[in-house]
Amino acid sequence: MAPTVADQLIEILRQAGVRRVYGLVGDSLNPIADAIRRTPDVEWVHVHNEEAAALAAAAEAQLTGRLAVCAGSCGPGNTHLIQGLYDAHRTGAPVLAIASHIPSTQIGTNYFQETHPQHLFLECSAYCELVSRPEQLPRLQRIAMQTALAKQGVAVLVLPGDLTAEPAPNPTGHSHLVETRAVAVPAEESVRALAAKINQARTVALFVGAGVRDARAEVLELAAKVHSPIGHSLGGKEWIQYDNPYDVGMSGLLGYGACYEATHEADLLIMLGTDFPYDTFLPQAHTVQVDRDAARLGRRTRLDLGVEGDVGETLRAVLPLIHQKTERAFLDRMLRKHADALEKVVSAYTAKVDKLRPVHPEYVAAVLDELIADDAVITVDTGMCNVWAARYLTPNGRRRIIGSFRHGTMANALPHAIGAAHAQPGRQVVSMSGDGGLTMLLGELRTVRERRVPVKIIAFNNGSLGMIRLEMMVAGYPSFETDHGVADLAAIARACGVPAEVVDDPADLRRALETALAANGPFLVDVRTDPNALSIPPHITAAQVRGFALAATRTVLDGGVGKMIDLARSNLRSIPRP
């Protein structure tokens, strides 16, 4: 039997090293699903909502750096992909989405379930094309795959269902797929200009993002040479915060420590590998930015200098041109401010926290941080779970923390965990799920049960949309429609076939988490946490303070501790005495 277009499609994926397609089968996808059924090296990972398929593919691509694939049937099937594809594209995860379409002869007739995917997905992709004839394949598929890898984003191939069942008119053949990316080397004049700026500045602060992933040593060497405090975005935390004698915390809505002060008080701020979106947290002056993508330069703040280049390559080029600074008073002052900012909430965190009911969510995160493996993958729901992860999970260079940090969609943690567990079997995967996010995609509890995905789901169950409540309070509005009561998530999980346990007494927390982490398959811990535990950024405006004072009747924490306080104290001990 001659191979069909669907057979050819799956064979090309197999050649590219793709071993699974996440999705939910449907009529227009039947030829593709059947081709996977007959291909031993590629599996279909059935999910219960296509949104979860795209999020799972996004997590797999982030962990492996390789192409991941999801699929949706025509109309509402592929429109469900959109949140996960936005997340993947904005995160820089190479994902190929197969958007099945109505029969080709019906396109343009307002047919049942007709949409126009080639238009719908344009904003969340680097490549999006409709295949109208079988002769366009396999060429368009290879272009889509290569574009996803080259642009580090999403490519969408729109395929009418009838077309995929036709015989493949062109030979499949073999073609090399380039997965590695060239390193952007900065121009010499930019390197000299950067060196001049650094040498002229009396004080320097560094603010780094995920772009320093492969340049940690160079960033620390620069900080040592100019006695610079290092602040970071949430995306940069896992790559730079650990064992960092210059750490002053994080800026932004989830921030803590002295990062805000350091970035505003320095004579020169150097942004390295970050597209930090919150311009109100940046000084909007005396700033240099280094990024491999020139389109990001200056779009968040006015720049004195922009440098297009890989962070590691740029720093290796500029370090020999930089003079060693001798004055470190600014660094020492920022380190003290950072330690003080953490110290002032230690008592609030430690005072009877192991006895207070409802359970404090920061206590859950801190205990979890102690128990998870050194190389665990932790997926984090958007909302207050982001706060607890940012402030209480300790990076070490081996752990990965994955969330919808750039798109900010809810319900991402469990689907991300499903993708992570499939991508790297045997690695511990933990989902920090908020009750608001988890209940949006409860069907994925069936996914982990049906496929025996060994994810550990730690549900922060406070019966409240905590981040939304906080946003209302800071704006001066009383909270409205944010509190809906505590659902019995453990009972729901057990009904889905997932072992589960309720924790409403902090004395039971450690044992329950240990039980979950030791389980062979999936396990859910339903922790009844305090809805009154909220968190505000380290810097808010006077208007926000006034608005908050009008609405606030809740306990608010304005910092974080975890093991970061140990690092901060250690860094203080390294300050030379006069």
Side-chain angles (χ1 to χ4, degrees):
M1 186 175 84
T4 65
V5 168
D7 292 327
Q8 188 176 70
L9 179 88
I10 300 307
E11 170 58 21
I12 291 170
L13 292 181
R14 191 194 66 79
Q15 290 179 12
V18 173
R19 292 297 173 260
R20 64 196 59 84
V21 176
Y22 300 93
L24 200 159
V25 294
D27 55 357
S28 59
L29 273 175
N30 285 343
I32 292 174
D34 189 65
I36 293 174
R37 180 185 64 83
R38 293 180 283 103
T39 304
D41 293 340
V42 181
E43 66 173 335
W44 182 270
V45 178
H46 171 70
V47 297
H48 288 74
N49 188 301
E50 290 88 351
E51 180 177 346
L55 288 165
E60 176 176 329
Q62 287 180 68
L63 282 177
T64 66
R66 305 188 67 181
L67 187 72
V69 182
C70 60
S73 59
C74 63
N78 64 55
T79 58
H80 282 161
L81 293 170
I82 197 161
Q83 290 293 9
L85 294 185
Y86 262 103
D87 175 75
H89 193 57
R90 299 185 74 175
T91 301
V95 169
L96 173 67
I98 299 169
S100 188
H101 203 359
I102 63 173
S104 57
T105 56
Q106 299 291 348
I107 295 175
T109 68
N110 198 24
Y111 189 68
F112 175 64
Q113 294 189 327
E114 181 171 6
T115 59
H116 293 87
Q118 69 273 28
H119 303 310
L120 178 69
F121 295 111
L122 277 176
E123 191 176 345
C124 60
S125 65
Y127 181 91
C128 183
E129 291 294 342
L130 168 67
V131 179
S132 55
R133 293 179 58 84
E135 288 82 4
Q136 292 174 278
L137 295 170
R139 185 182 181 190
L140 287 195
Q141 182 183 349
R142 288 192 167 113
I143 292 173
M145 293 162 58
Q146 189 61 69
T147 303
L149 289 164
K151 299 293 187 180
Q152 292 290 284
V154 169
V156 181
L157 208 58
V158 183
L159 286 162
D162 60 325
L163 184 149
T164 58
E166 294 185 20
N170 295 323
T172 301
H174 291 265
S175 182
H176 178 60
L177 190 67
V178 179
E179 294 184 321
T180 56
R181 301 185 69 197
V183 176
V185 178
E188 289 185 16
E189 56 268 31
S190 295
V191 172
R192 291 193 295 271
L194 176 58
K197 289 283 185 187
I198 295 172
N199 288 331
Q200 291 165 8
R202 185 179 61 86
T203 58
V204 178
L206 305 182
F207 183 61
V208 309
V212 304
R213 175 175 181 171
D214 298 317
R216 173 183 165 82
E218 290 82 358
V219 173
L220 293 178
E221 184 179 351
L222 173 62
K225 206 161 190 179
V226 298
H227 296 311
S228 168
I230 301 176
H232 54 80
S233 65
L234 181 55
K237 175 184 171 72
E238 61 182 323
W239 309 116
I240 200 67
Q241 189 237 319
Y242 65 95
D243 298 333
N244 178 357
Y246 312 101
D247 178 60
V248 292
M250 190 168 80
S251 194
L253 297 174
L254 311 184
Y256 57 83
C259 181
Y260 183 90
E261 289 84 353
T263 55
H264 281 71
E265 295 181 26
D267 292 343
L268 179 67
L269 170 63
I270 305 177
M271 296 173 61
L272 298 172
T274 180
D275 191 29
F276 183 71
Y278 303 108
D279 56 327
T280 54
F281 287 87
L282 297 172
Q284 300 298 322
H286 55 77
T287 301
V288 169
Q289 185 179 1
V290 179
D291 202 289
R292 67 185 181 193
D293 185 352
R296 296 172 183 158
L297 297 175
R299 70 178 177 184
R300 309 300 185 191
T301 182
R302 184 185 66 79
L303 297 180
D304 292 348
L305 175 68
V307 179
E308 179 186 10
D310 173 80
V311 172
E313 285 291 324
T314 301
L315 294 187
R316 284 189 288 273
V318 80
L319 278 165
L321 306 180
I322 295 174
H323 306 148
Q324 175 68 56
K325 295 188 186 296
T326 57
E327 176 58 56
R328 56 171 289 155
F330 174 67
L331 169 62
D332 294 345
R333 182 162 59 86
M334 290 301 115
L335 290 175
R336 290 190 181 96
K337 278 196 171 189
H338 178 61
D340 288 346
L342 298 185
E343 290 280 8
K344 73 177 183 179
V345 295
V346 170
S347 59
Y349 165 71
T350 57
K352 300 181 180 179
V353 72
D354 58 344
K355 298 180 178 60
L356 295 177
R357 298 173 69 171
V359 182
H360 277 209
E362 66 276 21
Y363 179 61
V364 181
V367 175
L368 185 65
D369 182 53
E370 295 177 16
L371 297 179
I372 57 177
D374 286 343
D375 66 344
V377 178
I378 307 98
T379 63
V380 184
D381 257 342
T382 297
M384 294 307 295
C385 281
N386 266 348
V387 177
W388 313 132
R391 296 184 175 184
Y392 294 96
L393 294 186
T394 307
N396 58 12
R398 299 174 62 201
R399 288 177 175 173
R400 288 302 315 273
I401 302 175
I402 293 176
S404 187
F405 300 142
R406 291 169 179 82
H407 184 51
T409 186
M410 291 178 67
N412 63 284
L414 182 53
H416 274 159
I418 291 169
H422 278 92
Q424 297 184 338
R427 191 172 182 181
Q428 187 183 78
V429 178
V430 178
S431 172
M432 288 179 60
S433 297
D435 57 328
L438 185 62
T439 53
M440 290 177 76
L441 288 175
L442 278 173
E444 302 319 312
L445 290 173
R446 290 296 301 155
T447 300
V448 300
R449 170 56 184 159
E450 291 160 1
R451 297 189 60 84
R452 295 286 297 168
V453 186
V455 298
K456 318 308 177 189
I457 306 159
I458 314 305
F460 288 67
N461 188 1
N462 63 3
S464 173
L465 300 174
M467 184 63 78
I468 298 171
R469 177 202 279 184
L470 177 62
E471 291 166 351
M472 289 179 174
M473 293 166 71
V474 169
Y477 301 110
S479 60
F480 177 70
E481 287 296 322
T482 58
D483 303 307
H484 302 102
V486 175
D488 193 342
L489 298 177
I492 294 172
R494 286 192 289 265
C496 292
V498 176
E501 182 173 346
V502 173
V503 174
D504 56 14
D505 187 334
D508 299 328
L509 177 66
R510 183 177 294 271
R511 179 199 50 76
L513 293 178
E514 289 173 341
T515 299
L517 295 173
N520 288 328
F523 200 103
L524 183 143
V525 182
D526 178 356
V527 189
R528 308 298 168 82
T529 56
D530 187 357
N532 299 328
L534 302 177
S535 176
I536 60 175
H539 180 84
I540 59 176
T541 66
Q544 288 171 326
V545 171
R546 287 192 294 272
F548 186 80
L550 291 174
T553 58
R554 308 290 187 177
T555 301
V556 177
L557 306 178
D558 66 349
V561 273
K563 294 180 183 176
M564 290 180 289
I565 189 62
D566 296 330
L567 176 64
R569 290 167 175 165
S570 175
N571 290 343
L572 280 186
R573 289 194 292 271
S574 69
I575 296 177
R577 294 186 179 277

